[in-house]
Amino acid sequence: QVQFVESGGGLVQAGESLTLTCAVSGAGGRFRFLAIGWYRQAPGKQRELFADIRYSGYTNYADSVKGRFTVSRDTAKNTVYLRMNSLKSEDTAVYYCNILGSNDWGQGTQVTVSS
């Protein structure tokens, strides 16, 4: 069973950058083929998908983060990263990584952006 552990969240000021780490276990040789998405859930809002990465290396971003966030993958470490630049207060949320389409969630990591 594939499991995801998110880390790297914290409190930052608007305009600063932060990198989140998604450690993947249980995937073995399948890791490089997984379609992995980044999701976030803001207070009082539903969880939303905003970025993903496919085995081909293709990445997709929602308009709200396009040009500011970058997803990357390190197959040697079974790890997916999310680089967030130019953070805004509206980016405040709990961030999750997961296989696209899965509803089995980890604990996520809190990102809080202050103005």
Side-chain angles (χ1 to χ4, degrees):
Q1 185 178 61
V2 181
Q3 296 182 339
F4 300 86
V5 178
E6 303 92 344
S7 63
L11 174 64
V12 298
Q13 292 184 319
E16 294 184 339
S17 299
L18 193 65
T19 298
L20 304 184
T21 297
C22 173
V24 182
S25 63
R30 294 152 44 215
F31 173 77
R32 62 189 293 262
F33 300 109
L34 296 176
I36 298 176
W38 279 98
Y39 304 75
R40 63 186 183 182
Q41 185 170 25
K45 305 292 184 180
Q46 294 185 336
R47 184 185 290 109
E48 296 182 332
L49 172 70
F50 64 87
D52 67 81
I53 184 168
R54 312 301 180 98
Y55 101 96
S56 62
Y58 174 82
T59 53
N60 185 56
Y61 303 93
D63 289 341
S64 59
V65 306
K66 190 175 299 181
R68 299 189 297 120
F69 291 9
T70 302
V71 178
S72 61
R73 177 181 61 212
D74 187 337
T75 57
K77 297 181 178 180
N78 286 355
T79 302
V80 178
Y81 301 96
L82 175 67
R83 178 63 175 176
M84 303 182 291
N85 295 321
S86 302
L87 283 163
K88 306 174 181 179
S89 59
E90 51 262 44
D91 294 319
T92 295
V94 178
Y95 284 71
Y96 304 85
C97 56
N98 206 350
I99 299 174
L100 293 183
S102 175
N103 288 315
D104 298 322
W105 303 98
Q107 64 180 359
T109 185
Q110 175 73 49
V111 174
T112 303
V113 184
S114 62
S115 300

